[in-house]
């Protein structure tokens, strides 16, 4: 969730709390009920989005770990044995080449599956040349886990398209739409509160405080802004 959206929801929450603390009736009560419904919906969407972010990031991290194990240990071992076995069967020379480090996930899986299939076909020869019998099972399990992480990521992207477009930051379209309606509802309540309590200076000051939520301060000058002039002391 981005900072601007977070500030909107914080303001709406403070507005809700203010109105709960003061007796509401009629149009105010109806508007407050609607605001509470919208805040509940926003909280549900935010929770779903966080779950999607966690799932996507977790699957990406897990996939990277599995790929490192495949690339740096399992497939490397298989490629080494395959190179030795190629002395007896020249056909195998081109079958056990390691995937490129920067290969896409699809290219990596395709090549690794091809190596596994060829190794299974020539298992006896490879074992004879020093391949541990458990390695092929380990490669198969690692590839299955790798593909599962891909599906988890794809599922997260399907349910929350903005995760892919914003690299797991920002807000989903549904959440932005609810936030926009919340802003409209707060404006409506602002008019109602001013109508009811406009003559009460102390209460209006409290209302202004409830409606105002400070955002993050900028630590850097805006693009194109001029730096303040430096005044040197007189000699």
């Amino acid at each position: 969730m981005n900072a601007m959206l977070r500030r909107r929801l914080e303001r709406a929450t403070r507005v809700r709390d203010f109105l709960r603390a003061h007796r509401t009736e009629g149009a105010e009560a109806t508007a407050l009920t609607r605001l509470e419904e919208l805040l509940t919906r926003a909280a549900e969407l935010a929770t779903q989005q966080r779950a999607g972010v966690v799932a996507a990031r977790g699957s990406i991290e897990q996939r990277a770990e599995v790929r490192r194990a495949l690339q740096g240990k399992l497939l490397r071992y298989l490629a080494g044995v395959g190179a030795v076995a190629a002395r007896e069967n020249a056909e195998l020379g081109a079958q056990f080449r390691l995937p490129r480090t920067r290969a896409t996930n699809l290219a990596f899986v395709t090549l690794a599956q091809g190596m596994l299939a060829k190794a299974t076909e020539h298992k006896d020869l490879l074992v004879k040349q020093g391949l541990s019998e458990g390695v092929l099972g380990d490669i198969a399990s690692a590839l299955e886990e790798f593909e599962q992480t891909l599906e988890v990521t794809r599922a997260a992207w399907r349910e929350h398209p903005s995760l892919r477009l914003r690299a797991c930051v920002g807000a989903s379209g549904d959440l932005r739409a609810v936030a926009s309606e919340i802003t409209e509802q707060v404006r409506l309540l602002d008019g109602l509160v001013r109508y009811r309590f406009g003559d009460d200076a102390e209460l209006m000051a409290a209302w202004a405080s409830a409606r105002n939520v400070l955002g993050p301060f900028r630590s850097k000058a805006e693009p194109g802004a001029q730096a303040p002039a430096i005044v040197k002391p007189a000699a």
Side-chain angles (χ1 to χ4, degrees):
M1 184 188 301
N2 59 41
M4 181 178 293
L5 181 56
R6 187 160 45 247
R7 289 198 300 273
R8 288 186 187 181
L9 297 181
E10 288 174 357
R11 178 179 66 178
T13 300
R14 291 172 62 166
V15 165
R16 178 203 63 192
D17 294 343
F18 175 93
L19 292 169
R20 282 178 173 177
H22 299 81
R23 187 169 59 85
T24 57
E25 55 188 19
E28 297 165 15
T30 300
L32 173 58
T33 298
R34 179 55 182 159
L35 178 62
E36 291 172 333
E37 292 172 350
L38 289 169
L39 283 172
T40 298
R41 177 58 178 157
E44 292 172 351
L45 290 171
T47 298
Q48 292 173 8
Q49 187 185 53
R50 282 194 296 271
V53 169
V54 170
R57 287 179 176 170
S59 65
I60 291 171
E61 292 172 0
Q62 183 183 3
R63 182 161 60 253
E65 183 178 345
V66 174
R67 181 163 175 164
R68 281 193 297 270
L70 278 164
Q71 181 88 25
K73 183 173 65 175
L74 297 172
L75 295 180
R76 184 174 294 276
Y77 177 25
L78 180 57
V81 177
V84 174
R87 295 176 183 174
E88 292 190 24
N89 186 340
E91 176 192 349
L92 299 180
Q95 302 298 324
F96 297 104
R97 293 178 180 173
L98 283 172
R100 290 180 302 168
T101 303
R102 296 179 178 274
T104 64
N105 289 324
L106 178 59
F108 178 83
V109 169
T110 300
L111 187 53
Q113 288 175 336
M115 291 177 67
L116 177 60
K118 186 59 65 173
T120 302
E121 180 182 349
H122 297 277
K123 180 179 178 181
D124 292 341
L125 174 58
L126 294 174
V127 169
K128 176 183 174 182
Q129 298 299 334
L131 182 70
S132 173
E133 294 191 12
V135 169
L136 298 186
D138 291 341
I139 292 175
S141 297
L143 281 173
E144 182 179 356
E145 184 178 359
F146 189 89
E147 291 184 295
Q148 286 174 351
T149 67
L150 287 172
E151 180 53 37
V152 170
T153 302
R154 285 192 289 263
W157 286 345
R158 284 196 300 268
E159 295 175 13
H160 308 279
S162 65
L163 298 182
R164 184 173 188 175
L165 296 176
R166 295 174 177 268
C168 295
V169 296
S172 68
D174 288 343
L175 188 52
R176 287 196 299 272
V178 170
S180 179
E181 191 171 350
I182 285 175
T183 298
E184 294 175 357
Q185 201 67 17
V186 168
R187 289 199 191 103
L188 171 61
L189 285 163
D190 181 52
L192 291 170
V193 169
R194 290 177 185 277
Y195 175 74
R196 181 181 176 193
F197 301 114
D199 296 331
D200 189 328
E202 183 177 351
L203 203 56
M204 288 306 297
W207 171 247
S209 177
R211 288 188 67 251
N212 294 326
V213 179
L214 292 177
F217 294 98
R218 296 182 180 273
S219 58
K220 297 182 180 178
E222 294 291 340
Q226 295 182 348
I230 300 176
V231 180
K232 296 182 179 180

